[in-house]
Amino acid sequence: KAEENQKKKEKKNYEGTHFETIKEAFVNSSEKFADRTFLLEKTNPKGEWIETTYTQFKNEVTGLGTALIRKLGLKDTRIVIIGENTHYWYVSYMTMLCGVGIAVPVDKELPENEIENVIKSITDKTKVISIAHISNVIGDVRPIKEIIKVVQPIILIHSTIG
């Protein structure tokens, strides 16, 4: 028993990696696993799986972040993200986590009035709503258009599911 305990003490622990931010972890993983599959998604239930590598995903996150900051001036803005868990939702959310703004993920299953309350409660001067597959999120698109009239600018992200 004493020998077993001694051997355990002599074993070195796995050397972990320390990150200060989620962005650091994301960039590190994107470099380390560049050509590996990050996400598999079907845009059509009978269709083929679409593969996204870490590099492709990183490029999409960087592109969206650059557009939101440089083209729309939305650095440090609260951004509402509503939608199904699709590739586009992940890109939107990771873009926020990497420092563009403050993500306000909203459950797509919330009733209209709750979605409206969340949007109205955001006090920033500029607001953005990102909706993935809007017709499946809340059914009829007309009510949400009334809710988001006050939200400027509006970014609509559509998936091709369904």
Side-chain angles (χ1 to χ4, degrees):
K1 187 81 175 173
E3 275 184 41
E4 278 183 42
N5 287 338
Q6 186 61 33
K7 285 181 181 178
K8 285 181 183 177
K9 285 181 182 178
E10 291 174 5
K11 280 187 178 179
K12 290 187 177 183
N13 290 330
Y14 173 77
E15 194 170 317
T17 307
H18 177 75
F19 300 109
E20 294 289 326
T21 65
I22 290 174
K23 183 177 181 177
E24 284 180 27
F26 174 65
V27 170
N28 180 276
S29 295
S30 297
E31 292 169 355
K32 188 174 182 179
F33 305 114
D35 296 324
R36 290 193 187 170
T37 301
F38 174 79
L39 180 70
L40 285 173
E41 181 178 48
K42 275 190 174 187
T43 57
N44 179 334
K46 294 180 182 179
E48 298 290 319
W49 287 98
I50 298 171
E51 176 185 6
T52 302
T53 65
Y54 277 83
T55 297
Q56 290 168 324
F57 186 74
K58 179 181 176 234
N59 290 342
E60 289 176 338
V61 168
T62 303
L64 179 58
T66 300
L68 291 174
I69 292 171
R70 290 189 183 163
K71 299 285 185 185
L72 300 175
L74 299 176
K75 179 74 173 149
D76 299 325
T77 300
R78 288 188 179 118
I79 299 180
V80 176
I81 304 173
I82 304 174
E84 293 178 339
N85 287 340
T86 65
H87 172 91
Y88 301 110
W89 192 95
Y90 295 126
V91 169
S92 300
Y93 191 68
M94 185 55 77
T95 299
M96 297 304 104
L97 293 179
C98 286
V100 169
I102 301 163
V104 183
V106 176
D107 185 345
K108 67 181 178 67
E109 301 297 326
L110 284 175
E112 275 177 38
N113 64 324
E114 290 298 321
I115 293 172
E116 184 176 7
N117 288 339
V118 169
I119 293 170
K120 286 180 177 177
S121 71
I122 297 173
T123 58
D124 283 354
K125 194 165 49 173
T126 304
K127 304 166 194 170
V128 177
I129 186 166
S130 170
I131 303 173
H133 202 227
I134 191 169
S135 62
N136 281 348
V137 171
I138 55 164
D140 186 4
V141 176
R142 285 170 294 182
I144 196 72
K145 284 184 179 178
E146 293 302 312
I147 293 169
I148 61 178
K149 275 186 180 176
V150 297
V151 181
Q152 293 297 327
I154 298 169
I155 298 174
L156 299 177
I157 299 175
H158 298 276
S159 76
T160 55
I161 295 174

